[in-house]
Amino acid sequence: MQKSINIFFKAALAVLAIMSAAGCITEKLDTSDGLQSVMLQVNIEAGEITKADLTPEESAINSVRIYAYRSDGTPAGHYYRAEVSDDPIIMDLTLPETGIHDVNFHIIANEESMVFDDGLVLTESLTQIQLQAAKIHNVNPSFGLPMYCVQDEAINVDNVSQTANTAAGHEGHFYLAQQVSFKLIRPMAKVSVYAAIADGGAPGSISVSRVDFPVNGTRIYNYLLPQTDAVLAAVPLRTDGVVMSSNSVTLTKTVDKTDASEVENPANYDLVVGNIYIAETEAGDANWQTRESDRQALLHVEYSVGDGGEIQHGYVYLP
C-alpha cells in the first residue's frame, strides 16, 4: 500500500515523503487418470502505484512465469516467456475431462530482477509451498521490478471456443472460451523524498545534503508472496544504515504549509531522491514524529540553511 506523509522540520524545511508501500481439448493425455490437456488464454498487466508516478521500467513486464495448481495442490500447468511480447499468453492446463475446476494461479514477472535466498531458482517443478517461502534479498531494477499475483479461478473445461487455433502443431484444435486476467503487484515499497522551502523562505536558502535510514527498521529480506503478520514479525530487521542519497540538492521551490492542496502536490517540491525500493515494514502509523515500534522504518534527512550553515537533522518515522 502506498502512503504519503508531509513533514515540517525547523528552519522552514518542508519534506514530502512518498512511499508505495505481470491445451487443446482434442489433445488427450493418458486418460487412465481422467485428465486432459486444455488451452487457456491468460491476460496480465502491471498494477498501478497510488500517487507515485510509474516509470516505464517500473511498469515493464520483461519476463513472465505462471504456475497453476489444482485444488489438491498438484501441478496443473506451467508457462514461461523470457522476452517482451504483445502475443497473447496461451497456457496448457491438465484438468479433468469435464466440469468446472478450481485452479490456483501464481504469476511471477521479471524474475531476473530478484536475488533469492539460498540461491533459489524458479523452475517448472516448484511447489506451492516452495513459492510461498521464496525470499528476496536484493532487487536489480535494471531488469524491471519484481511483480506477482496469486489468484484462484474456476475453469470450465466444457465451454469451448468455436475459434480454430492456427498455431503450428495445433491447427484445427480449439481453445477454452474462457479467459483469465491478472493484475500484478510489486512486493516492496517505493520511497521518494521531495523537499521545499516553507514559511516564506527564499529559494536557494536551504540545501539537503543526505537522506538515509540510519537505523533501518525494514526487514533484511522480503518475501515474494504475501505472508501472515506472524511470519513477517519473525523476519530479522536490518541493523546497518542504508544511504538513499548523499548528493547535495539546493531547494528552489517554496510551499505554503497552511494550504493542504499545495502541501500534498509533489509538483511543488524539489525531488531530492526517488525510486528507492525497500522491503515494506508491517509496523507504522500516521504520526511521523513518534515511533510505534522498533520494527518501524526511520528516515533521516540532513540539511543546512545558508552558505556554510550548520548541518541540521530531521527524522521521519515512516507509516
Side-chain angles (χ1 to χ4, degrees):
M1 180 180 294
Q2 186 277 339
K3 301 179 182 178
S4 67
I5 54 176
N6 301 288
I7 60 178
F8 295 90
F9 299 135
K10 62 183 180 180
L13 172 66
V15 173
L16 175 67
I18 294 183
M19 184 175 181
S20 305
C24 305
I25 66 165
T26 57
E27 292 183 347
K28 300 289 185 178
L29 297 178
D30 180 358
T31 56
S32 62
D33 56 4
L35 299 175
Q36 67 175 354
S37 179
V38 297
M39 297 180 73
L40 176 71
Q41 180 167 331
V42 177
N43 307 307
I44 62 172
E45 64 175 311
E48 298 177 352
I49 297 178
T50 307
K51 290 190 178 179
D53 293 330
L54 277 170
T55 66
E57 293 77 15
E58 289 169 344
S59 58
I61 298 175
N62 300 312
S63 68
V64 62
R65 187 183 296 272
I66 305 174
Y67 296 89
Y69 301 95
R70 292 184 283 271
S71 58
D72 62 357
T74 56
H78 173 268
Y79 176 93
Y80 177 67
R81 176 186 286 173
E83 68 281 334
V84 180
S85 174
D86 293 328
D87 294 336
I89 293 175
I90 306 299
M91 182 176 185
D92 291 308
L93 294 178
T94 305
L95 295 172
E97 295 176 301
T98 62
I100 299 174
H101 306 282
D102 292 331
V103 178
N104 177 250
F105 290 89
H106 289 60
I107 296 89
I108 300 166
N110 302 335
E111 63 185 70
E112 296 79 10
S113 68
M114 310 176 224
V115 178
F116 290 102
D117 183 42
D118 296 329
L120 174 69
V121 177
L122 300 186
T123 62
E124 180 177 353
S125 61
L126 289 186
T127 66
Q128 284 175 299
I129 293 175
Q130 289 172 312
L131 284 174
Q132 189 66 29
K135 306 179 184 73
I136 303 173
H137 272 282
N138 292 297
V139 172
N140 185 347
S142 64
F143 292 99
L145 289 185
M147 299 186 222
Y148 75 90
C149 181
V150 178
Q151 188 170 306
D152 294 323
E153 293 287 342
I155 305 301
N156 185 352
V157 299
D158 298 322
N159 189 5
V160 180
S161 170
Q162 297 307 304
T163 302
N165 183 3
T166 59
H170 297 277
E171 296 88 350
H173 298 154
F174 295 90
Y175 300 115
L176 294 181
Q178 180 180 0
Q179 297 182 14
V180 293
S181 298
F182 304 95
K183 183 169 287 189
L184 303 180
I185 302 169
R186 299 161 186 81
M188 78 281 292
K190 174 182 175 179
V191 178
S192 298
V193 177
Y194 297 80
I197 300 168
D199 295 333
S205 62
I206 297 179
S207 295
V208 176
S209 55
R210 181 183 176 94
V211 180
D212 59 40
F213 290 105
V215 181
N216 193 349
T218 56
R219 302 187 292 268
I220 63 172
Y221 57 79
N222 210 27
Y223 283 94
L224 172 61
L225 302 180
Q227 305 291 328
T228 65
D229 288 344
V231 170
L232 294 180
V235 178
L237 297 177
R238 294 184 64 109
T239 57
D240 57 325
V242 175
V243 178
M244 296 177 65
S245 174
S246 58
N247 297 322
S248 180
V249 176
T250 299
L251 304 185
T252 63
K253 297 185 179 182
T254 61
V255 65
D256 179 1
K257 69 180 184 182
T258 65
D259 186 331
S261 61
E262 250 190 63
V263 168
E264 290 287 343
N265 185 359
N268 295 327
Y269 294 75
D270 291 296
L271 177 64
V272 176
V273 58
N275 304 343
I276 301 297
Y277 308 101
I278 63 171
E280 287 188 277
T281 172
E282 73 278 9
D285 58 27
N287 189 346
W288 61 268
Q289 294 177 304
T290 60
R291 198 171 200 180
E292 180 185 73
S293 76
D294 61 0
R295 298 188 67 83
Q296 186 173 1
L298 174 64
L299 183 70
H300 167 238
V301 178
E302 287 186 359
Y303 64 99
S304 59
V305 180
D307 292 336
E310 181 181 353
I311 293 294
Q312 301 185 51
H313 304 270
Y315 297 91
V316 183
Y317 294 105
L318 295 180

